[in-house]
Amino acid sequence: QVQLVESGGGLVQPGGSLRLSCALSRNIFRFATMGWYRQAAGKQRELVATIRSGGTINYADSVKGRFNISKDNAKNTVYLQMNSLNTEDTAVYYCNTDPATIAWGQGTQVTVSS
């Protein structure tokens, strides 16, 4: 059973940046599409970025041009670089496969506030 551990969240001012990390207990990048999801208070979880096994990347329109997903095969880690953050980015961020097939981790809270 693969386990996920997200980290890197925190409190940041509008316009700021954060880098999230997702460490996997074993490497599944060779055959799985990995994604970053987020869930704001009172809203459904949404998929914001994906990276396929071959490296193809897609973003939700709401984050396109501001977020960058990447992965490090040697470290079994997926990253989400978030720039130009705004208050609407406030949410708990999770990683998982796309579609989600792994038990959800605890997520990492991102709060954008002045």
Side-chain angles (χ1 to χ4, degrees):
Q1 182 73 12
V2 178
Q3 294 181 321
L4 307 161
V5 179
E6 300 94 345
S7 62
L11 174 64
V12 63
Q13 292 185 342
S17 298
L18 283 174
R19 188 193 194 202
L20 307 184
S21 299
C22 172
L24 283 74
S25 57
R26 62 183 179 90
N27 193 314
I28 59 172
F29 296 160
R30 184 169 51 186
F31 55 85
T33 295
M34 296 302 303
W36 279 98
Y37 300 74
R38 67 184 182 186
Q39 186 169 21
K43 295 187 178 181
Q44 290 189 334
R45 189 173 291 165
E46 63 171 336
L47 180 63
V48 297
T50 59
I51 183 166
R52 296 186 179 181
S53 57
T56 301
I57 290 172
N58 286 285
Y59 298 100
D61 288 343
S62 58
V63 306
K64 197 171 295 182
R66 301 188 297 120
F67 289 12
N68 181 36
I69 187 172
S70 61
K71 59 183 178 179
D72 187 327
N73 291 331
K75 296 182 178 181
N76 297 348
T77 301
V78 183
Y79 301 99
L80 187 67
Q81 176 67 44
M82 306 187 297
N83 302 317
S84 301
L85 287 162
N86 58 60
T87 56
E88 293 183 350
D89 297 317
T90 295
V92 179
Y93 285 72
Y94 304 86
C95 68
N96 210 312
T97 53
D98 176 35
T101 60
I102 303 171
W104 293 97
Q106 82 285 356
T108 186
Q109 175 71 48
V110 172
T111 302
V112 184
S113 175
S114 56

